[in-house]
Amino acid sequence: KTPGEKKQTWRLWFLVIAAIIPSGMVGVLFDDWMDEHLHNATVVAAMLIAYGVAFLLVERRYQGKHLKIQNVNQMDLPTALGMGLFQCLSLVPGTSRSGATIVGGLLLGLSRACVAEFTFYLAVPVMAGASLLKVVKFAVSGVSITGTEVAVLLVGCVVAFVVSLAAIRFLMDYVKKHSFTAFGWYRIALGALVAAYFLVK
């Protein structure tokens, strides 16, 4: 890489690190509270539907509009922090992390390709940190666990991390070229099914 390309790479990862700070702080401080109060079918169904509607509204608002930030090299620190704040919303169950940052990025003026690329970069440290937090909390809980169980837990975390990254990579490649309308309707339909299931259960 040329010195200019190396500088852009370091600058990009600086923005990524800055963007994950808000969700990291909120996650560490309120993880237990959210597990206790927000992990229920009502919240999940509501968030599925709410973000489905948000996708449709954002797509309609920005369809054909020239956005001010076309690629990640044009992003500045305030924009990255703004996406980081939107990412905090993904800590609520039923809120897609990618969905929260995509909606936030479009509202902040990023192009579809730019928001998809930056969202993928955000996924790497965020998902690794979330897995590590769960492992640490389990380790300090005092629950008796064998070496084999520890190995299985670690392998499970690694596999889930890799598969999740692959899925997000596929999704981000898709949304660079297609609208979010289909995802909007999908989330609304899924939210309605979740609500209906638990209402009649």
Side-chain angles (χ1 to χ4, degrees):
K1 288 185 177 182
T2 66
E5 290 175 332
K6 290 181 179 179
K7 183 178 180 180
Q8 286 184 340
T9 299
W10 282 107
R11 181 178 179 275
L12 172 61
W13 284 107
F14 168 75
L15 295 178
V16 169
I17 293 171
I20 67 174
I21 290 175
S23 59
M25 293 177 62
V26 173
V28 170
L29 293 174
F30 298 102
D31 186 59
D32 291 335
W33 183 89
M34 288 186 289
D35 281 347
E36 182 179 351
H37 295 88
L38 300 181
H39 282 253
N40 57 72
T42 301
V43 172
V44 171
M47 291 300 99
L48 283 169
I49 294 172
Y51 273 86
V53 173
F55 271 131
L56 297 180
L57 293 178
V58 168
E59 189 63 43
R60 177 176 296 182
R61 178 177 178 182
Y62 286 97
Q63 191 170 24
K65 181 179 179 180
H66 178 76
L67 301 174
K68 62 180 181 180
I69 302 175
Q70 295 296 317
N71 60 72
V72 292
N73 293 326
Q74 295 177 315
M75 290 183 62
D76 54 18
L77 182 57
T79 302
L81 290 174
M83 287 193 67
L85 291 174
F86 274 100
Q87 186 170 237
C88 291
L89 300 174
S90 67
L91 297 172
V92 179
T95 302
S96 162
R97 190 200 62 80
S98 299
T101 54
I102 286 171
V103 169
L106 291 178
L107 291 174
L108 291 170
L110 278 67
S111 70
R112 186 177 284 121
C114 178
V115 75
E117 185 175 356
F118 195 72
T119 293
F120 176 76
Y121 291 136
L122 282 178
V124 179
V126 168
M127 294 175 62
S131 297
L132 179 62
L133 179 61
K134 294 296 184 183
V135 171
V136 170
K137 287 178 62 178
F138 186 82
V140 301
S141 65
V143 177
S144 177
I145 184 171
T146 66
T148 301
E149 290 171 331
V150 170
V152 170
L153 177 63
L154 292 175
V155 170
C157 288
V158 172
V159 171
F161 175 74
V162 173
V163 171
S164 296
L165 280 185
I168 292 174
R169 177 79 273 179
F170 170 79
L171 174 63
M172 295 303 100
D173 287 340
Y174 176 87
V175 300
K176 285 180 180 180
K177 302 174 184 178
H178 302 82
S179 77
F180 301 111
T181 302
F183 289 105
W185 287 115
Y186 161 76
R187 288 183 64 88
I188 292 172
L190 181 59
L193 285 174
V194 170
Y197 173 80
F198 284 97
L199 282 173
V200 302
K201 185 177 180 181

